[in-house]
Amino acid sequence: MTVKRVEVTDATESLATYIRQADAGPVVVTDAGRPVAALVLLDNTDLETVVLSTDPEFLDLIERSRARQTKEGGLSSAEVRRRLNGGLDE
């Protein structure tokens, strides 16, 4: 995979051109040499996944949930299924 870098002041091509270039790997936009944005192709995803994966509140919720799981433990998927089935085995 290659990474293409383009300085924001030099990014004069159309967005479509940079998207086509992202086939080979990320296109990283820099400002005074510092990365400020990246254009990457998204495979096997949808808009909701993209939005949630960049939402600070959602990411904070996930981190709190993981910390609680680590501290307190949780239910196995088999136990959740058992409880949802009213104690009946599948």
Side-chain angles (χ1 to χ4, degrees):
M1 169 181 16
T2 62
V3 176
K4 177 178 176 67
R5 293 182 185 138
V6 61
E7 184 66 23
V8 70
T9 56
D10 299 329
T12 57
E13 298 293 328
S14 70
L15 181 58
T17 298
Y18 293 113
I19 290 171
R20 283 191 290 277
Q21 292 174 0
D23 273 337
V27 177
V28 177
V29 179
T30 58
D31 187 8
R34 184 178 67 85
V36 294
L39 192 62
V40 295
L41 297 184
L42 301 175
D43 295 321
N44 302 316
T45 193
D46 56 30
L47 183 57
E48 181 181 35
T49 300
V50 173
V51 170
L52 286 175
S53 70
T54 59
D55 182 312
E57 289 181 34
F58 180 74
L59 295 174
D60 184 54
L61 172 68
I62 295 298
E63 287 304 313
R64 288 193 322 262
S65 295
R66 287 178 178 159
R68 182 176 176 189
Q69 169 70 20
T70 299
K71 181 179 177 184
E72 300 174 14
L75 301 175
S76 69
S77 58
E79 177 62 14
V80 170
R81 279 192 297 278
R82 187 188 71 73
R83 289 183 183 193
L84 289 174
N85 289 327
L88 302 174
D89 292 324
E90 288 187 38

